[in-house]
Amino acid sequence: MLFLALGSAAYAQTPAAPPATDAAPTQDPSQQTYTLKAGAKIVLVPATVSIKGQIVYGLKADKFRILDNGVSQAVTLDEDAQGFGLSLVVAVQCSRMAMMEYEKLQGLPTLVESLVGGGPHEIALIRYGAHPELVQPFTRSLDKVASAMSRMGPCEDDEAATRDAVSYASSILENRDTHNRHAVLLVGEARDHGSSVKEKDLIAQLGRSNTVVDAVAYSPGSNETMDDLKHFSGGRGPIGTLIMAVQGMRKNTAKAIAEESGGDYFHFNNRAGFDESLGKLTNRVHNYYLLSFPVPSGAENGLHEIKVTVPEYPEADIRARRNYYAGDVPPSDVK
């Protein structure tokens, strides 16, 4: 799910954002009409609804229920989510096992083109090992993106700083048009190796920014499922929710980042599995509901748990972000 997001605060650990690029709006922003206004204190909750693998279409706002720390909120549904522009960062690991995996990623340029569709878009490419590296600044040209993919090749590095890469991607998205959907496509190992950005800081950054991360990972190992996080039902307060999220990120970084931000996670073992994962992701990208609600007055600082349901379909599988972050600094006692 590559969804819409508004700006967030950058972290000192991330590299400086790049200068202006060749990306340009396709029409005068003053002539566009937006449901969501820049700077509005709202929580965006992109969601897909399916029953036994079949997408449920045509639901209205009154069919959804959103709980913020267990309290029901007034739900808004944007009817034209696909009409927003898209600012997308594609982050690909170049280190460690990546050399053995690159042959399987040959379909990535085609995937990116399918994901952005025909709407306004801009795409940046980064690769990462011990540090994120900007390979292609934001551009509207898919030809430039395809050409730059050749510079995303393997690098000799023993680390894979996934959290650092996602934090950097989020920081450069902060400087883009706030009316665009902001998203990251992460391709790499499931685990993190060598990041300096702490789990709780990245969770807070993503929770404030509304940037959604979709992850396609290889070698997920024994931590493919995170049932403790998946079945967490709340009731522990914002500190408990943050601790659970931190624990999940240490088990399977790519999956936890995706799930915490409201994105999708897929794993693959071969070229066919990679292509199949990308096909599923593309289908979900174009079939989601963009829900939102205003941050409650006097909201407690910290991580807020979000729960989305469709009471009419209690058996539905609903994929949506699990939290948002209120306040600026995660509590110091969360390790």
Side-chain angles (χ1 to χ4, degrees), residues 291-309:
L291 310 173
S292 64
F293 65 92
V295 175
S297 177
E300 182 179 2
N301 286 350
L303 203 67
H304 287 233
E305 183 192 14
I306 297 173
K307 184 175 182 180
V308 181
T309 61

Side-chain angles (χ1 to χ4, degrees), residues 44-77:
L44 303 175
V45 189
T48 56
V49 182
S50 61
I51 298 178
K52 296 182 179 180
Q54 300 298 311
I55 298 292
V56 177
Y57 302 97
L59 297 177
K60 301 299 182 181
D62 60 0
K63 299 298 183 181
F64 291 91
R65 187 184 185 203
I66 296 180
L67 300 180
D68 174 348
N69 281 351
V71 179
S72 184
Q73 304 296 316
V75 180
T76 298
L77 169 64

Side-chain angles (χ1 to χ4, degrees), residues 106-122:
Q106 298 304 307
L108 189 55
T110 301
L111 161 75
V112 171
E113 184 172 358
S114 299
L115 287 176
V116 299
H121 61 266
E122 56 178 7

Side-chain angles (χ1 to χ4, degrees), residues 167-249:
S167 181
Y168 175 58
S170 178
S171 73
I172 65 174
L173 282 166
E174 292 163 14
N175 297 323
R176 311 314 298 173
D177 188 340
T178 55
H179 295 118
N180 280 3
R181 294 172 286 153
H182 288 184
V184 177
L185 174 62
L186 176 67
V187 182
E189 290 183 60
R191 285 182 175 270
D192 184 283
H193 301 273
S195 282
S196 60
V197 174
K198 302 301 183 183
E199 293 93 341
K200 63 178 182 178
D201 294 327
L202 181 57
I203 291 166
Q205 183 178 12
L206 292 173
R208 287 194 299 268
S209 70
N210 290 320
T211 296
V212 173
V213 181
D214 291 296
V216 183
Y218 45 84
S219 299
S222 61
N223 292 308
E224 175 58 30
T225 59
M226 297 193 304
D227 288 337
D228 56 340
L229 190 60
K230 180 177 180 181
H231 298 296
F232 174 57
S233 59
R236 296 172 179 159
I239 299 296
T241 303
L242 182 56
I243 290 173
M244 291 293 291
V246 166
Q247 291 173 344
M249 196 170 290

Side-chain angles (χ1 to χ4, degrees), residues 26-49:
T26 55
Q27 76 179 89
D28 182 353
S30 66
Q31 300 303 312
Q32 299 182 22
T33 300
Y34 299 101
T35 301
L36 303 174
K37 303 300 182 182
K41 293 184 178 180
I42 60 172
V43 180
L44 303 175
V45 189
T48 56
V49 182

Side-chain angles (χ1 to χ4, degrees), residues 77-333:
L77 169 64
D78 194 289
E79 299 285 355
D80 188 29
Q82 295 296 336
F84 288 90
L86 171 66
S87 295
L88 170 66
V89 178
V90 180
V92 180
Q93 181 184 330
C94 62
S95 60
R96 290 172 53 86
M97 296 179 63
M99 185 174 295
M100 301 174 60
E101 305 296 333
Y102 263 75
E103 186 278 331
K104 304 170 186 174
L105 311 183
Q106 298 304 307
L108 189 55
T110 301
L111 161 75
V112 171
E113 184 172 358
S114 299
L115 287 176
V116 299
H121 61 266
E122 56 178 7
I123 303 167
L125 303 179
I126 66 174
R127 69 174 192 166
Y128 68 94
H131 307 283
E133 173 190 351
L134 182 66
V135 175
Q136 172 62 58
F138 280 102
T139 177
R140 292 187 291 116
S141 170
L142 290 173
D143 289 338
K144 282 190 176 183
V145 171
S147 176
M149 287 287 182
S150 64
R151 305 196 299 275
M152 299 279 280
C155 55
E156 295 185 4
D157 200 326
D158 291 332
E159 296 185 344
T162 303
R163 295 193 305 274
D164 290 357
V166 173
S167 181
Y168 175 58
S170 178
S171 73
I172 65 174
L173 282 166
E174 292 163 14
N175 297 323
R176 311 314 298 173
D177 188 340
T178 55
H179 295 118
N180 280 3
R181 294 172 286 153
H182 288 184
V184 177
L185 174 62
L186 176 67
V187 182
E189 290 183 60
R191 285 182 175 270
D192 184 283
H193 301 273
S195 282
S196 60
V197 174
K198 302 301 183 183
E199 293 93 341
K200 63 178 182 178
D201 294 327
L202 181 57
I203 291 166
Q205 183 178 12
L206 292 173
R208 287 194 299 268
S209 70
N210 290 320
T211 296
V212 173
V213 181
D214 291 296
V216 183
Y218 45 84
S219 299
S222 61
N223 292 308
E224 175 58 30
T225 59
M226 297 193 304
D227 288 337
D228 56 340
L229 190 60
K230 180 177 180 181
H231 298 296
F232 174 57
S233 59
R236 296 172 179 159
I239 299 296
T241 303
L242 182 56
I243 290 173
M244 291 293 291
V246 166
Q247 291 173 344
M249 196 170 290
R250 290 172 179 169
K251 291 181 177 181
N252 183 327
T253 302
K255 183 171 185 177
I257 290 173
E259 292 186 341
E260 291 300 321
S261 70
D264 276 304
Y265 170 86
F266 300 94
H267 73 278
F268 67 96
N269 297 314
N270 51 44
R271 171 70 184 275
F274 181 73
D275 291 344
E276 180 182 1
S277 296
L278 300 186
K280 291 179 180 178
L281 177 58
T282 301
N283 181 54
R284 291 178 182 175
V285 162
H286 298 293
N287 292 287
Y288 70 90
Y289 297 93
L290 182 56
L291 310 173
S292 64
F293 65 92
V295 175
S297 177
E300 182 179 2
N301 286 350
L303 203 67
H304 287 233
E305 183 192 14
I306 297 173
K307 184 175 182 180
V308 181
T309 61
V310 180
E312 186 174 324
Y313 299 106
E315 76 279 20
D317 175 24
I318 301 173
R319 297 175 182 266
R321 63 185 299 186
R322 295 177 172 180
N323 60 62
Y324 73 94
Y325 201 91
D328 295 326
V329 182
S332 59
D333 57 345

